[in-house]
Amino acid sequence: MHDNVLKVYQCDDSDLFAAESAEQAATLYRDMTGDDPEYGYPRELTDAELDAPQPEFDENENRTGGTTSVRQMLAEHGNEPGWLAGSDW
């Protein structure tokens, strides 16, 4: 269990990571892709971005017709840092 609160960082044009810091988000991104994030990333999402409606997907990555938010995804993600979402969040 981590004592720090997870935040959401955009690490490229499409991938979001739950992490305790920008440095940790960069490490998670590097571990997943084998590359360092490009200049300007990772970038912490703003409150407006966290709360903006997003299309909801099922476990097979099909749209459900519902909506969610990045903040809701983070709440459902749990306390472990890692990849949160990608593509057209």
Side-chain angles (χ1 to χ4, degrees):
M1 181 73 83
H2 294 270
D3 294 333
N4 294 333
V5 175
L6 295 180
K7 299 174 184 177
V8 179
Y9 295 90
Q10 182 180 1
C11 290
D12 62 17
D13 288 342
S14 62
D15 289 302
L16 302 179
F17 287 81
E20 296 172 2
S21 66
E23 292 79 14
Q24 185 180 51
T27 298
L28 292 165
Y29 180 83
R30 193 175 307 109
D31 290 348
M32 185 177 100
T33 66
D35 295 318
D36 288 327
E38 291 184 19
Y39 179 78
Y41 295 109
R43 178 186 71 78
E44 185 177 349
L45 267 61
T46 65
D47 282 337
E49 290 170 318
L50 289 171
D51 294 327
Q54 304 295 328
E56 194 170 55
F57 294 85
D58 64 18
E59 57 276 350
N60 296 318
E61 299 185 20
N62 297 312
R63 287 185 186 222
T64 65
T67 59
T68 188
S69 69
V70 175
R71 191 180 304 276
Q72 181 64 33
M73 289 181 224
L74 181 61
E76 294 171 359
H77 177 76
N79 295 325
E80 285 300 314
W83 184 84
L84 185 65
S87 191
D88 57 349
W89 62 272

